Structures are given as structure tokens and as C-alpha cells.
Amino acid sequence: MNISLEKKIFPGFIINLLVVITAAFIFLMRLDPDRDTTMDSKLEVIEIILFILSAFLLIVVYFIIRAQLKAKETVQKRLEENQQLLQSIIDNTSNPIFIKKLNGEYLLVNKHFDTLFGTENDKIIGKTDLDFLPKETAEIYRNSDLEVAKKLVELKSEETIQEKDGPHTYLAVKFPLFDAKGRIYAIGGISTDITERKKLEDSLKATDAFFNMSFDIFTVAKNNHFIKINAAFTNTLGYTQKDMDEIKFIDLTHPDDRSVSDEVFSKIKKGNTVISFKNRIRHKDGSYRWLDWNSSIDLKEGIIYSAARDITEKVKLEQEQQKAVDELSENEEKLRVIVENIGEGVIVANADKKVILANYMANDIFGIEEDDKISTDLTAHFELYFPDEKTIFPAQNLPMERAFNGEITDDVDLVLWDPDSREKRRVLISGRPLIDQDNKVIAAVITIKDISKYKKMEEELEETETKYRKLIGFKNTPKQNKEEENDTNDTTKK
């Protein structure tokens, strides 16, 4: 058991005091003239013994004091070394650290604390926050110190400190320090810079908010499960996160899309990014929805990030459009077959007056096989006459032109004279405009009926009738005589 310096010296002091008193008492006895002189020799021996005992006690006390002082010096040195070690440790940590007295005076701070507040250690020790911080800030710190001292518990709070590169957020942890008797004597504090963590948290919050608020589907997948889905996924497919924890996402794929989906999934697992992959995913009600996926993978973590959009209605519309196109193509083919088998020439021109369809009979009439080389202006191919073959037919009255003006014409009788082949055709031309829902002409259709043979047969029948009339003695009417005269004149001119 260690005995304090005071406890070691005090008994020696008492004994030495008794020795001195006894020696003084003997000395006074020897001064008495009425003393018993026979005792002087004994008293001298006793005085010598007391002197030797006193000297011995003094020597013992000296060595005890010396030893204690040396021990105290050693302890003080070790304490200083420990303090230096502690200071060195806290100076080399990146966290600001301090210890304050209960009155707010600083007992200890590290270098990072100095740097944080732009001051030096010796200018902080013994000072309070009011000595180097704005009053408002100092009062906040003081109130939190008092809260720790009052409740005797650790207190955590976030503090914002303006630094050279802008505001930094610190997580400050303050705690009470107790002495050997369990009484609080100081307040310690450690602050951790959480600026980047706060930024990351804010970023994650923003990302999470976007993740959940987006109209597009977002998923995070690992080990064949969607470990995170957003609200759009639930709204589109009906599954909750709890449902998806128990279902492999590949099991939701339509059987007809399974093989292609497996191939795409294999590419993703190799590190490839997949853009606009479409497949059908089963809804919770058993129906299927078409989704358009964009996916990539974090190979290190094995996590697949995907975004998808519900394109079910778009696919249905495309299918309906394709069906309409197929039906239109089929109808066009049927129409072409019908048109080709019509005994009249048929020409269809668009709003730009460009021929987009001409049947075999029309090609034969114009002597042109390529439809787009046929002009809607017949005067580019023929000389046009009225049936009398003398009067020129005006181009603006042609059925094609009138159809582009929205008019309907039927059986316009005229003669087409080809100056190159020197052939003529007697034709009946009809025209129809094609009008859209806005009552605009978008195309025109004309039919050309070649009646040259019929007119020739009609003329031959008239000649035969006239001939037989003469044979049986019928006289021509004045009108018939005039027609015969005209025919004779025309024949002579030709």
C-alpha cells in the first residue's frame, strides 16, 4: 500500500518533537542547583541518546522527503510526457477536439481546432468562446455546453462553420468529464466534418425523390430480383416491393419474349449497356404490358440499374397502323387489279398534278408505259378537237382540270389527234375530284373511254342503211342529203 508523504513524515515529526522536549526537560533539570548530582551522568547518557535519536530521525525524514520528491518529479515528468503524447495524438487527428472548464474557459484544444477558427493554441487556452467568436455563435455553443453539464449526458448536434472554401457542416459530440470523486469538472468535445456526407445525403434524397416521383419506371436489380422499384413500377404493373422480393423479374416476362430477354440479360451481365429493348411484362392482374427498357450494370457490385417506359398503347397503335397499312396495301392491290381489268383508261393524279396511277388501257392510249411520265395536261400529248374534228377543244375545260377545281364531269366527247403517229381517237372523258375531311381536293381521277370503233361501226351502219334505202327506192331526206354532202367534202379534204 502506498503511504503519502504527509503520513510518512508526521510520525517522525512527532517522535522528533518528543525527543527535543525530553532533551530540553533534562537540560532544565541540570540547571537546578538543588538537583541530585548523582543523576548527572545518567542524564548525560540520556541526552546523548536523545541527540543521536533526533539526528537519526532527521536523516530518515530527509531521505523520505528526498525519495518522495524524486518520485513526484518522476510522476510529473511522466505526466508531462503523457500530456505531450495526448497533445500529439489529438493534434494529428483531422477532427477538432477541445476540453473546457465548466465556466467555458478552454483547457485544451488541438491544431485542427486552431485552424478551424483561425487562431492559435496559446490564444485560446484560458479564453471562452466570446473572446474569439461572434456573440450569437458563442451563445449557441455555451447553451449546448450547459445542456451537457445539466443533464450529464453526451449531446450530439450539427453545427455549420464558415470556412475559406464555404460553409462546412460538423457533427459535434459533447460529453462530460468527471474527476475521481465522480463530479463533473469539464466538458469535452469532438467534431467531425460531415459536409461531403451531407451533400451525398442531400443528393441521395433528391435522387430518391426523383426515383419515386418520376413517371418513368426505375428499378434496381440484384441476384435476379428487383431490390428497389419506384411508384411508377407499382402504378404500371401493380406489384409492390414486397411482391418483387419474392418474384424473379425474369419470371414476369412473356413466354414469347423469354429467349430474347435472356440474351439481352446475358449481355447486360457482361457489362454492356442496352438501349431501347422492348418486351412484355406480366401485370399483377395477369395481362401483359409492353415496356421499353434502358439498362446498365455496376460490375463490381453486380447491380443492374434500369429505366423503362410503358409503351403498351403505342405498340397497340403501331399494330393498328400496321394493320391499316396492310389492309390499305391489300386494297390498293385489289384496286390495281380491278383498274387494270377495266376496259377504260384510268388516270389518278395527286394534288401536285402528278400522275401516280395509270392502268394498262391508259398506257396504251398515251403510248407511255411509265405512269409518272404521263402529263395531266392532255395537250402535252395530243391535239384536242370537238367531235366535228375542226374546232379546238379548250384545255381549261378538260375533265382533269375541272376535277382539280372540285367539279364533276361525265362523258366529255372529244377527239384526240396524235401528230406523231397521225392517229386519232374518239373518246369520252369523265372526271372526279377526291376530297378529304377538310373539303380539300387531294387528287383527281379521270376515265377515258375509247369509242372510236363504236363510231366507225355507227358510220358503217348508216352507210349500209343509206345504200339499202336507195336499192328499195327510198328517197333521202334533205337532212340526209346534206350529211352525205358533208361526208363527201370531208373525204376529199383528207
Side-chain angles (χ1 to χ4, degrees), residues 78-92:
R78 292 180 65 180
L79 179 61
E80 290 177 356
E81 290 176 351
N82 289 336
Q83 286 179 335
Q84 290 178 355
L85 178 61
L86 175 62
Q87 187 71 46
S88 177
I89 291 173
I90 66 173
D91 281 344
N92 284 280

Side-chain angles (χ1 to χ4, degrees), residues 327-339:
E327 290 178 353
L328 179 61
S329 298
E330 184 179 351
N331 291 335
E332 286 181 350
E333 188 60 29
K334 289 179 180 178
L335 177 62
R336 183 174 292 277
V337 172
I338 293 172
V339 168

Side-chain angles (χ1 to χ4, degrees), residues 16 18 21 51 56 71 84 88 128 133-134 137 150 171 178 188 201 206 236 268 288 358 363 382 384 393 421 441:
N16 195 44
L18 292 173
I21 292 172
F51 177 77
F56 175 75
Q84 290 178 355
S88 177
T128 66
L133 292 176
T137 303
K150 179 180 178 181
L171 177 63
F178 302 97
E201 287 177 355
T236 303
I268 295 173
Y288 282 89
N363 295 143
F382 306 102
L384 309 180
F393 192 92
S421 64
V441 177

